[in-house]
Amino acid sequence: MTTSQTSAGHVLSNEAWLDTHAAACAREYRDFVQCAGFETGWSVLDAGSGSGSFVSFLREAVGIEGRVVCIDLASENCRLSSLALGAANEVTQGSVTRLPFASARFDAAWCANTFQYLTAEQVEQALAELRRVVRPGGRVAVKDVDMLAFKVSPADAFLFPHLAESCLRAPDASPDSEGSLRGRELRRWLERAGFIEVQQHSLFIERWAPLTTPEVALWSCWLSYLAALALNRDVPAPDRIEWREIARDGGVPFVTRPDFYGCEAQAIAIGTVPEGS
Ligand SMILES: C[S@@+](CC[C@H](N)C(=O)[O-])C[C@H]1O[C@@H](n2cnc3c(N)ncnc32)[C@H](O)[C@@H]1O
């Protein structure tokens, strides 16, 4: 499998990666959607829907009387979302920063793992747009990763903080270097954007050896991607040695060690659109 970019230029966003992640974390995906508290019969926008990994859980939440509509920037992900939605689907190619929908059209919006690709200014635009297209009293749920709380063992405790810092400080840093550290700040972003009754839940996706086959696929891919990133960045020399060992043979020997532990930290912030919006 590959973490190659989509046609819109985002890493970790193509079908192979998204499906591998979803297959290894299905239980947590359902828990994330349940946190959002969407109700039966609601019409929900899945903004940045990717390959449609959350569609079935959103459908489950709103029931047959409800409706899920998808939007994504990458044309191939729109096609995949369309397949996930099946009959009577509605998928639009476009940006979460400029939503092509009427105001108050939806009861709720769901936006997972998409803000990490946006600049701070684009996050503000996206939140204003999500607030606009959801009716007063409706809900917006935004979920994202916090790579500073990412951890694997056995490994140096500072391996990931060093990588996060070197990515952030690089002269050619991409928006996701900053965006992937934003997870635990989401609540404040929603509050500043004028949402009310904002709450945030943080959730670790933790896996201990022995991993299942889908988990081996996910963690070996994750660590190979991060090792390639680290070896291309200004991380300390001892880290380089450790990353090479982690990525050996596609990362499989490392993630199948009997003492392996991997942890991805995710946060979900949920806000209500105020009356009079
Ligand atoms: C990591 S994937 C997440 C997909 C899905 N939400 C999930 O969690 O499985 C990020 C998705 O956001 C989309 N995306 C990135 N920037 C976007 C933007 N400005 N507007 C809409 N979609 C965007 C990408 O094309 C990609 O499909």
Side-chain angles (χ1 to χ4, degrees):
M1 77 145 284
T2 159
T3 51
S4 64
Q5 295 185 349
T6 62
S7 58
H10 299 113
V11 294
L12 300 174
S13 290
N14 69 347
E15 179 182 14
W17 165 256
L18 295 176
D19 290 355
T20 300
H21 198 281
C25 308
R27 179 165 39 88
E28 285 89 356
Y29 277 33
R30 174 175 276 117
D31 291 348
F32 290 138
V33 172
Q34 280 178 355
C35 273
F38 296 156
E39 295 180 17
T40 306
W42 276 13
S43 160
V44 177
L45 175 67
D46 184 353
S49 53
S51 60
S53 308
F54 281 100
V55 162
S56 61
F57 302 116
L58 292 170
R59 275 235 168 106
E60 201 174 277
V62 300
I64 44 169
E65 311 93 84
R67 183 170 174 78
V68 178
V69 172
C70 293
I71 186 165
D72 200 281
L73 204 52
S75 56
E76 68 274 30
N77 284 352
C78 289
R79 276 193 296 279
L80 294 163
S81 293
S82 178
L83 288 174
L85 282 170
N89 73 74
E90 184 181 341
V91 182
T92 304
Q93 185 177 0
S95 177
V96 69
T97 58
R98 202 170 167 198
L99 292 170
F101 302 109
S103 298
R105 151 127 197 229
F106 300 99
D107 296 300
W110 170 259
C111 187
N113 309 310
T114 298
F115 275 25
Q116 62 191 267
Y117 300 100
L118 306 182
T119 63
E121 189 184 353
Q122 289 170 331
V123 169
E124 287 172 358
Q125 289 166 356
L127 285 170
E129 280 293 84
L130 292 170
R131 181 177 157 178
R132 180 184 66 77
V133 301
V134 172
R135 65 164 168 81
R139 287 214 181 143
V140 171
V142 181
K143 169 198 167 296
D144 229 315
V145 67
D146 188 329
M147 287 302 285
L148 265 185
F150 195 100
K151 184 175 172 62
V152 296
S153 286
D156 187 275
F158 293 102
L159 202 62
F160 290 94
H162 286 163
L163 175 58
E165 185 173 22
S166 68
C167 288
L168 200 62
R169 310 274 178 246
D172 60 342
S174 54
D176 55 287
S177 301
E178 188 181 341
S180 60
L181 308 182
R182 211 181 268 135
R184 281 176 289 172
E185 304 293 330
L186 287 174
R187 175 190 177 129
R188 297 296 181 223
W189 284 90
L190 266 69
E191 286 170 350
R192 285 196 296 270
F195 290 92
I196 58 169
E197 297 161 5
V198 181
Q199 42 173 305
Q200 178 165 315
H201 306 280
S202 298
L203 208 145
F204 283 167
I205 298 181
E206 294 177 292
R207 296 293 183 267
W208 288 265
L211 301 190
T212 63
T213 303
E215 291 165 355
V216 170
L218 172 64
W219 281 95
S220 57
C221 180
W222 238 139
L223 295 177
S224 300
Y225 168 79
L226 294 171
L229 193 61
L231 294 171
N232 201 27
R233 293 296 186 208
D234 188 21
V235 296
D239 289 19
R240 303 182 84 81
I241 296 169
E242 196 158 7
W243 278 116
R244 281 202 188 88
E245 183 53 28
I246 285 174
R248 189 169 50 82
D249 295 329
V252 174
F254 183 74
V255 306
T256 53
R257 290 176 59 122
D259 53 353
F260 175 80
Y261 165 78
C263 174
E264 222 186 86
Q266 302 278 347
I268 176 165
I270 304 136
T272 298
V273 176
E275 297 296 333
S277 283

mmCIF file of all heavy atoms in Angstrom, residues 3-14 72-77 117 174-176 225:
data_model
loop_
_atom_site.group_PDB
_atom_site.id
_atom_site.type_symbol
_atom_site.label_atom_id
_atom_site.label_comp_id
_atom_site.label_asym_id
_atom_site.label_seq_id
_atom_site.Cartn_x
_atom_site.Cartn_y
_atom_site.Cartn_z
ATOM 1 N N THR A 3 1.171 5.731 0.542
ATOM 2 C CA THR A 3 0.599 6.941 1.133
ATOM 3 C C THR A 3 0.732 8.090 0.142
ATOM 4 O O THR A 3 0.825 9.236 0.526
ATOM 5 C CB THR A 3 1.325 7.308 2.444
ATOM 6 O OG1 THR A 3 2.724 7.311 2.173
ATOM 7 C CG2 THR A 3 1.009 6.332 3.536
ATOM 8 N N SER A 4 0.758 7.793 -1.149
ATOM 9 C CA SER A 4 0.980 8.829 -2.159
ATOM 10 C C SER A 4 -0.152 9.855 -2.132
ATOM 11 O O SER A 4 -1.243 9.599 -1.644
ATOM 12 C CB SER A 4 1.103 8.213 -3.546
ATOM 13 O OG SER A 4 -0.114 7.612 -3.884
ATOM 14 N N GLN A 5 0.150 10.993 -2.731
ATOM 15 C CA GLN A 5 -0.777 12.123 -2.655
ATOM 16 C C GLN A 5 -2.027 11.892 -3.508
ATOM 17 O O GLN A 5 -2.008 11.146 -4.469
ATOM 18 C CB GLN A 5 -0.067 13.362 -3.177
ATOM 19 C CG GLN A 5 1.096 13.778 -2.306
ATOM 20 C CD GLN A 5 1.712 15.074 -2.769
ATOM 21 O OE1 GLN A 5 1.405 15.564 -3.842
ATOM 22 N NE2 GLN A 5 2.580 15.644 -1.954
ATOM 23 N N THR A 6 -3.059 12.612 -3.160
ATOM 24 C CA THR A 6 -4.262 12.634 -4.004
ATOM 25 C C THR A 6 -4.040 13.656 -5.119
ATOM 26 O O THR A 6 -3.050 14.395 -5.113
ATOM 27 C CB THR A 6 -5.491 13.090 -3.197
ATOM 28 O OG1 THR A 6 -5.231 14.429 -2.742
ATOM 29 C CG2 THR A 6 -5.769 12.179 -2.033
ATOM 30 N N SER A 7 -5.002 13.740 -6.018
ATOM 31 C CA SER A 7 -4.914 14.730 -7.101
ATOM 32 C C SER A 7 -4.941 16.157 -6.545
ATOM 33 O O SER A 7 -4.498 17.089 -7.200
ATOM 34 C CB SER A 7 -6.062 14.533 -8.090
ATOM 35 O OG SER A 7 -7.293 14.646 -7.397
ATOM 36 N N ALA A 8 -5.460 16.312 -5.313
ATOM 37 C CA ALA A 8 -5.488 17.652 -4.695
ATOM 38 C C ALA A 8 -4.188 17.934 -3.935
ATOM 39 O O ALA A 8 -4.035 19.004 -3.346
ATOM 40 C CB ALA A 8 -6.685 17.768 -3.760
ATOM 41 N N GLY A 9 -3.261 16.957 -3.916
ATOM 42 C CA GLY A 9 -1.941 17.196 -3.339
ATOM 43 C C GLY A 9 -1.810 16.898 -1.852
ATOM 44 O O GLY A 9 -0.846 17.337 -1.230
ATOM 45 N N HIS A 10 -2.755 16.147 -1.281
ATOM 46 C CA HIS A 10 -2.661 15.862 0.155
ATOM 47 C C HIS A 10 -2.100 14.463 0.402
ATOM 48 O O HIS A 10 -2.554 13.502 -0.209
ATOM 49 C CB HIS A 10 -4.045 15.981 0.811
ATOM 50 C CG HIS A 10 -4.624 17.353 0.688
ATOM 51 N ND1 HIS A 10 -5.742 17.627 -0.073
ATOM 52 C CD2 HIS A 10 -4.196 18.534 1.185
ATOM 53 C CE1 HIS A 10 -5.992 18.922 -0.009
ATOM 54 N NE2 HIS A 10 -5.069 19.500 0.740
ATOM 55 N N VAL A 11 -1.134 14.387 1.338
ATOM 56 C CA VAL A 11 -0.588 13.072 1.713
ATOM 57 C C VAL A 11 -1.559 12.379 2.675
ATOM 58 O O VAL A 11 -2.432 13.032 3.266
ATOM 59 C CB VAL A 11 0.808 13.192 2.376
ATOM 60 C CG1 VAL A 11 1.830 13.720 1.389
ATOM 61 C CG2 VAL A 11 0.747 14.058 3.625
ATOM 62 N N LEU A 12 -1.410 11.072 2.828
ATOM 63 C CA LEU A 12 -2.244 10.283 3.743
ATOM 64 C C LEU A 12 -3.730 10.518 3.480
ATOM 65 O O LEU A 12 -4.539 10.589 4.411
ATOM 66 C CB LEU A 12 -1.911 10.624 5.209
ATOM 67 C CG LEU A 12 -0.473 10.370 5.651
ATOM 68 C CD1 LEU A 12 -0.240 10.882 7.068
ATOM 69 C CD2 LEU A 12 -0.107 8.890 5.589
ATOM 70 N N SER A 13 -4.082 10.662 2.228
ATOM 71 C CA SER A 13 -5.478 10.950 1.885
ATOM 72 C C SER A 13 -5.990 10.097 0.738
ATOM 73 O O SER A 13 -7.109 10.306 0.294
ATOM 74 C CB SER A 13 -5.629 12.428 1.485
ATOM 75 O OG SER A 13 -5.466 13.259 2.589
ATOM 76 N N ASN A 14 -5.159 9.175 0.235
ATOM 77 C CA ASN A 14 -5.649 8.369 -0.893
ATOM 78 C C ASN A 14 -6.397 7.133 -0.382
ATOM 79 O O ASN A 14 -6.383 6.810 0.811
ATOM 80 C CB ASN A 14 -4.506 8.010 -1.852
ATOM 81 C CG ASN A 14 -3.530 7.037 -1.222
ATOM 82 O OD1 ASN A 14 -3.557 6.809 -0.023
ATOM 83 N ND2 ASN A 14 -2.668 6.457 -2.035
ATOM 84 N N ASP A 72 -15.744 16.809 -1.094
ATOM 85 C CA ASP A 72 -14.296 16.620 -0.970
ATOM 86 C C ASP A 72 -13.616 17.379 -2.106
ATOM 87 O O ASP A 72 -14.202 17.591 -3.168
ATOM 88 C CB ASP A 72 -13.916 15.132 -1.022
ATOM 89 C CG ASP A 72 -12.533 14.879 -0.425
ATOM 90 O OD1 ASP A 72 -11.523 15.132 -1.120
ATOM 91 O OD2 ASP A 72 -12.461 14.455 0.745
ATOM 92 N N LEU A 73 -12.368 17.748 -1.849
ATOM 93 C CA LEU A 73 -11.602 18.509 -2.838
ATOM 94 C C LEU A 73 -11.065 17.604 -3.958
ATOM 95 O O LEU A 73 -10.920 18.043 -5.100
ATOM 96 C CB LEU A 73 -10.427 19.175 -2.106
ATOM 97 C CG LEU A 73 -9.792 20.421 -2.683
ATOM 98 C CD1 LEU A 73 -10.823 21.495 -2.999
ATOM 99 C CD2 LEU A 73 -8.756 20.968 -1.698
ATOM 100 N N ALA A 74 -10.764 16.355 -3.633
ATOM 101 C CA ALA A 74 -10.125 15.461 -4.609
ATOM 102 C C ALA A 74 -11.186 14.680 -5.388
ATOM 103 O O ALA A 74 -12.038 14.016 -4.785
ATOM 104 C CB ALA A 74 -9.189 14.486 -3.891
ATOM 105 N N SER A 75 -11.107 14.754 -6.726
ATOM 106 C CA SER A 75 -12.145 14.124 -7.556
ATOM 107 C C SER A 75 -12.236 12.616 -7.312
ATOM 108 O O SER A 75 -13.334 12.055 -7.232
ATOM 109 C CB SER A 75 -11.872 14.408 -9.036
ATOM 110 O OG SER A 75 -10.565 13.957 -9.357
ATOM 111 N N GLU A 76 -11.074 11.949 -7.142
ATOM 112 C CA GLU A 76 -11.132 10.491 -6.954
ATOM 113 C C GLU A 76 -11.792 10.142 -5.622
ATOM 114 O O GLU A 76 -12.483 9.121 -5.510
ATOM 115 C CB GLU A 76 -9.728 9.862 -7.075
ATOM 116 C CG GLU A 76 -8.727 10.202 -5.985
ATOM 117 C CD GLU A 76 -7.963 11.508 -6.239
ATOM 118 O OE1 GLU A 76 -8.511 12.421 -6.885
ATOM 119 O OE2 GLU A 76 -6.817 11.623 -5.743
ATOM 120 N N ASN A 77 -11.616 10.996 -4.614
ATOM 121 C CA ASN A 77 -12.275 10.722 -3.336
ATOM 122 C C ASN A 77 -13.778 10.998 -3.430
ATOM 123 O O ASN A 77 -14.578 10.357 -2.736
ATOM 124 C CB ASN A 77 -11.612 11.515 -2.206
ATOM 125 C CG ASN A 77 -10.284 10.877 -1.797
ATOM 126 O OD1 ASN A 77 -9.957 9.782 -2.257
ATOM 127 N ND2 ASN A 77 -9.521 11.542 -0.959
ATOM 128 N N TYR A 117 -4.977 19.748 7.051
ATOM 129 C CA TYR A 117 -4.364 20.198 5.793
ATOM 130 C C TYR A 117 -4.554 21.696 5.555
ATOM 131 O O TYR A 117 -4.104 22.220 4.538
ATOM 132 C CB TYR A 117 -4.962 19.415 4.609
ATOM 133 C CG TYR A 117 -4.717 17.938 4.747
ATOM 134 C CD1 TYR A 117 -5.716 17.089 5.213
ATOM 135 C CD2 TYR A 117 -3.470 17.393 4.473
ATOM 136 C CE1 TYR A 117 -5.478 15.737 5.387
ATOM 137 C CE2 TYR A 117 -3.218 16.040 4.645
ATOM 138 C CZ TYR A 117 -4.233 15.225 5.102
ATOM 139 O OH TYR A 117 -3.988 13.889 5.289
ATOM 140 N N SER A 174 4.950 22.170 5.252
ATOM 141 C CA SER A 174 3.623 22.255 4.631
ATOM 142 C C SER A 174 2.595 22.544 5.726
ATOM 143 O O SER A 174 2.871 22.334 6.913
ATOM 144 C CB SER A 174 3.300 20.946 3.907
ATOM 145 O OG SER A 174 3.450 19.884 4.801
ATOM 146 N N PRO A 175 1.395 23.006 5.343
ATOM 147 C CA PRO A 175 0.394 23.343 6.373
ATOM 148 C C PRO A 175 0.100 22.184 7.319
ATOM 149 O O PRO A 175 -0.195 22.400 8.494
ATOM 150 C CB PRO A 175 -0.850 23.699 5.547
ATOM 151 C CG PRO A 175 -0.319 24.147 4.226
ATOM 152 C CD PRO A 175 0.927 23.350 3.982
ATOM 153 N N ASP A 176 0.242 20.929 6.837
ATOM 154 C CA ASP A 176 -0.101 19.819 7.733
ATOM 155 C C ASP A 176 0.921 19.636 8.865
ATOM 156 O O ASP A 176 0.625 18.960 9.853
ATOM 157 C CB ASP A 176 -0.338 18.508 6.962
ATOM 158 C CG ASP A 176 0.820 18.112 6.079
ATOM 159 O OD1 ASP A 176 1.018 18.757 5.046
ATOM 160 O OD2 ASP A 176 1.535 17.163 6.453
ATOM 161 N N TYR A 225 6.001 5.566 6.561
ATOM 162 C CA TYR A 225 5.779 6.934 6.081
ATOM 163 C C TYR A 225 6.505 7.938 6.985
ATOM 164 O O TYR A 225 7.221 8.826 6.509
ATOM 165 C CB TYR A 225 4.268 7.233 6.059
ATOM 166 C CG TYR A 225 3.968 8.687 5.851
ATOM 167 C CD1 TYR A 225 4.033 9.255 4.580
ATOM 168 C CD2 TYR A 225 3.656 9.519 6.927
ATOM 169 C CE1 TYR A 225 3.792 10.613 4.391
ATOM 170 C CE2 TYR A 225 3.414 10.862 6.751
ATOM 171 C CZ TYR A 225 3.483 11.405 5.480
ATOM 172 O OH TYR A 225 3.254 12.750 5.297
#
